[in-house]
């Protein structure tokens, strides 16, 4: 990431995009640092992809400005912006070899044949695919096609790489592998990556910072740890991971206090009723009955119906010494410090 005081790679000021009466983007202000891996996270219709298209120049804003490296590009065409985009469907040319696909952007820019072939091979080596240069895209796996699309995007050496849910078409195992490779590639190249996704785990895994979108606006902006550990409202707490949410009524009944709160499942400790121990000033405690247990491999999800009628979801690690079972009477406890106050 760039140091404080340097010109950001991207600056959005009062950005708006309306489609008729629909405010797809509703006043977004954002700065993305040079060399940052930045994710825009949100469900379908939240505005994240429209923001990406406005940065790329595929859409023109209804209001506001887009700056790249300090230059106002709001009214310029996509090919006049020093950005490139990787799409979910890869958009590779099936009649061209892998090398020709990667070199295509250089060819359009008038780069000579020898230089573009050399640079294309370098780009393929960067994504560890130089050995498939002469194959056609149809002869490659999904993960390989994704890496070819990345090589084609970076070969023109853009200042900013825009990635529109590029891993969405891959199966889980391959997607996890590509997440690691994508982060390594970004570090090696030093290019600003702007990554659009609806997958909260993907955003938390990859990003230096995350912007959580809803209804065309950024509702929270921060590091993955900040967004996960300290969600600002109920929307972020429930969309980014799993949270136990206490509305005003539940907070008074279970916590004995006013307000609205969130509590992550892994912050809760369960103990069988006789072994619960005494209450402490630093902890909340509530009795309940185990309604369900679900084995997850890395741990177990335990659903507890509390004595106050509220339901808690607890994540127990697989190393928990004495796993509780359905029907057991338990005491759930957590630190006061792990409760997050919601707006």
């Amino acid at each position: 990431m760039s140091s404080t005081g340097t010109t950001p790679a991207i600056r959005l000021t009062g950005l708006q995009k309306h489609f008729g009466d629909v405010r797809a983007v509703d006043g977004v202000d954002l700065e993305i640092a040079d060399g940052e891996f930045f994710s825009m996270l949100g469900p379908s219709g939240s505005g994240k992809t429209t923001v990406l298209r406005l940065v790329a120049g595929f859409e023109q804003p209804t209001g506001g400005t887009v700056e790249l490296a300090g230059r106002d590009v709001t009214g310029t065409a996509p090919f006049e912006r020093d950005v490139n985009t990787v799409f979910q469907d890869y958009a590779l040319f099936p009649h061209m070899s892998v090398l020709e696909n990667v070199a295509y952007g250089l060819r359009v820019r008038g780069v000579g044949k020898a230089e573009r072939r050399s640079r294309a091979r370098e780009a393929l080596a960067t994504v560890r695919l130089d050995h498939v240069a002469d194959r056609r895209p149809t002869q490659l796996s999904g993960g390989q096609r994704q890496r070819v699309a990345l090589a084609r995007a970076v070969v023109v050496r853009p200042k900013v790489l825009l990635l529109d849910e590029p891993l969405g078409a891959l199966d889980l195992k391959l997607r996890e592998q590509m997440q690691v490779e994508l982060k390594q590639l970004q570090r090696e190249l030093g290019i600003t990556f702007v990554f659009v996704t609806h997958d909260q785990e993907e955003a938390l895994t990859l990003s230096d910072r995350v912007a959580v979108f809803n209804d065309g606006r950024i509702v929270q902006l921060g590091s993955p740890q900040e967004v996960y550990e300290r969600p600002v409202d109920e929307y972020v707490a429930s969309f980014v991971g799993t949270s136990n949410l206490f509305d005003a009524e539940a907070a008074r009944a279970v916590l004995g206090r006013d307000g609205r709160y969130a509590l992550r499942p892994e912050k809760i400790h369960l103990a069988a009723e006789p072994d619960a121990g005494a209450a402490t000033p630093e902890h909340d405690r509530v009795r309940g009955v185990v309604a369900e247990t679900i084995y997850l491999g890395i741990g177990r999800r335990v659903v507890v119906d509390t004595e106050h009628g509220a339901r808690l979801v607890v994540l127990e690690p697989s190393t928990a010494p004495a796993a509780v079972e359905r029907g057991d009477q338990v005491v759930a406890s957590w630190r006061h410090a792990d409760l997050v106050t919601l707006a």
Side-chain angles (χ1 to χ4, degrees):
M1 291 175 57
S2 63
S3 59
T4 303
T6 60
T7 303
I10 299 172
R11 178 185 285 124
L12 309 179
T13 307
L15 196 63
Q16 300 180 47
K17 181 62 180 180
H18 303 166
F19 296 100
D21 295 333
V22 177
R23 293 174 176 262
V25 179
D26 192 14
V28 169
D29 296 303
L30 177 65
E31 290 189 359
I32 300 175
D34 185 32
E36 185 173 15
F37 199 124
F38 188 91
S39 287
M40 295 192 287
L41 172 66
S44 297
S46 61
K48 61 190 187 302
T49 297
T50 305
V51 169
L52 193 83
R53 292 179 62 82
L54 290 167
V55 173
F58 301 143
E59 301 279 358
Q60 285 299 304
T62 306
T65 59
V66 177
E67 294 180 32
L68 297 176
R71 172 175 165 247
D72 189 338
V73 298
T74 310
T76 63
F79 61 84
E80 296 177 302
R81 306 184 184 200
D82 197 4
V83 303
N84 216 339
T85 307
V86 177
F87 300 101
Q88 183 176 337
D89 62 1
Y90 316 146
L92 301 176
F93 299 115
H95 63 285
M96 292 184 181
S97 70
V98 167
L99 186 67
E100 290 167 337
N101 265 281
V102 175
Y104 182 77
L106 299 172
R107 176 181 166 188
V108 171
R109 287 163 173 77
V111 177
K113 184 176 181 179
E115 182 182 349
R116 68 175 182 255
R117 288 179 67 87
S118 173
R119 284 173 57 179
R121 287 193 178 279
E122 286 178 11
L124 282 172
T126 301
V127 296
R128 294 174 292 282
L129 283 181
D130 42 326
H131 62 288
V132 300
D134 297 325
R135 296 184 193 174
R136 297 292 172 90
T138 53
Q139 297 174 297
L140 305 181
S141 68
Q144 287 175 323
R145 288 197 295 272
Q146 176 58 268
R147 283 187 278 166
V148 171
L150 285 168
R152 185 179 60 182
V154 302
V155 74
V156 296
R157 298 168 186 167
K159 291 289 186 183
V160 175
L161 188 62
L162 308 174
L163 301 109
D164 187 8
E165 306 217 30
L167 309 183
L170 304 179
D171 61 49
L172 177 62
K173 193 73 174 178
L174 193 52
R175 190 161 69 244
E176 291 175 345
Q177 177 185 331
M178 281 301 303
Q179 288 171 5
V180 174
E181 294 189 7
L182 200 60
K183 186 64 178 175
Q184 290 176 338
L185 180 64
Q186 192 265 341
R187 284 201 187 102
E188 291 169 9
L189 297 174
I191 295 174
T192 304
F193 275 29
V194 181
F195 189 88
V196 164
T197 182
H198 65 273
D199 186 322
Q200 51 91 13
E201 183 178 336
E202 203 162 73
L204 298 179
T205 300
L206 292 170
S207 313
D208 296 315
R209 285 190 304 154
V210 179
V212 184
F213 278 74
N214 189 34
D215 291 335
R217 298 181 179 182
I218 295 174
V219 292
Q220 186 166 359
L221 174 65
S223 70
Q225 184 173 357
E226 290 168 345
V227 170
Y228 184 82
E229 297 285 351
R230 294 291 158 185
V232 295
D233 61 15
E234 185 173 326
Y235 170 78
V236 178
S238 57
F239 183 75
V240 182
T242 302
S243 285
N244 294 286
L245 302 175
F246 298 92
D247 60 16
E249 182 180 350
R252 282 192 293 270
V254 179
L255 308 174
R257 69 191 76 175
D258 293 323
R260 301 171 69 85
Y261 300 89
L263 178 65
R264 295 294 187 187
E266 67 272 16
K267 304 294 186 181
I268 303 173
H269 173 71
L270 288 181
E273 179 74 60
D275 306 320
T280 69
E282 295 82 20
H283 290 76
D284 289 304
R285 299 167 76 252
V286 62
R287 289 180 172 84
V289 176
V290 175
E292 192 59 80
T293 65
I294 302 167
Y295 179 68
L296 303 174
I298 60 172
R300 295 203 317 166
R301 184 181 296 124
V302 182
V303 180
V304 176
D305 288 330
T306 72
E307 59 188 333
H308 303 290
R311 172 164 279 193
L312 293 178
V313 177
V314 182
L315 183 62
E316 283 193 323
S318 57
T319 55
V324 297
E325 301 296 341
R326 188 152 54 97
D328 285 355
Q329 293 189 0
V330 294
V331 171
S333 63
W334 55 87
R335 299 186 310 149
H336 296 325
D338 290 329
L339 275 175
V340 179
T341 303
L342 302 177

